[in-house]
Amino acid sequence: MVTQAEVAAITKRAREASARIVVTFKGLRYAMVINGFIKAEDRDSSKVEWSKAFGSLTPKELLSSMPIEKIEVQLPDKTFIFNQVKELLKWAL
């Protein structure tokens, strides 16, 4: 279970590291993107309205309940691929 404080810590770490975090979910065509802000994008990296992509789910609910395909952390000089939220939290905290 991911808490709101952990989502805030991930967002803060992304902002500080100039990172772009793309969380793709199994069975969904939209991704959650964190780069100082949290937004929804389609697979072509086009911004999509949050409610169209995820309905009324909050970021913490998405990370806690939806099956994750992969988490890609894009830094200016390298990229990490994580398979679980635990790995992302370890990087962020």
Side-chain angles (χ1 to χ4, degrees), residues 14-90:
R15 189 178 316 111
E16 290 170 349
S18 299
R20 183 174 193 269
I21 303 169
V22 181
V23 183
T24 54
F25 301 95
K26 292 178 184 169
L28 292 180
R29 63 182 191 170
Y30 300 107
M32 180 171 68
V33 178
I34 304 169
N35 60 354
F37 298 99
I38 300 174
K39 60 185 176 181
E41 290 185 358
D42 63 14
R43 299 283 176 149
D44 298 325
S45 298
S46 299
K47 189 175 178 184
V48 177
E49 194 173 315
W50 183 271
S51 61
K52 178 182 177 187
F54 305 119
S56 63
L57 292 176
T58 64
K60 76 174 194 149
E61 291 170 336
L62 270 176
L63 292 173
S64 296
S65 63
M66 297 298 292
I68 293 176
E69 188 174 306
K70 73 176 179 176
I71 302 168
E72 187 173 354
V73 179
Q74 303 165 350
L75 297 169
D77 58 342
K78 59 186 163 186
T79 299
F80 298 108
I81 303 289
F82 301 128
N83 295 313
Q84 299 178 6
V85 175
K86 279 192 236 178
E87 296 171 285
L88 177 61
L89 289 170
K90 187 176 178 182

Side-chain angles (χ1 to χ4, degrees), residues 2-15:
V2 178
T3 66
Q4 185 63 35
E6 289 169 329
V7 172
I10 293 168
T11 305
K12 181 180 177 191
R13 176 80 163 107
R15 189 178 316 111

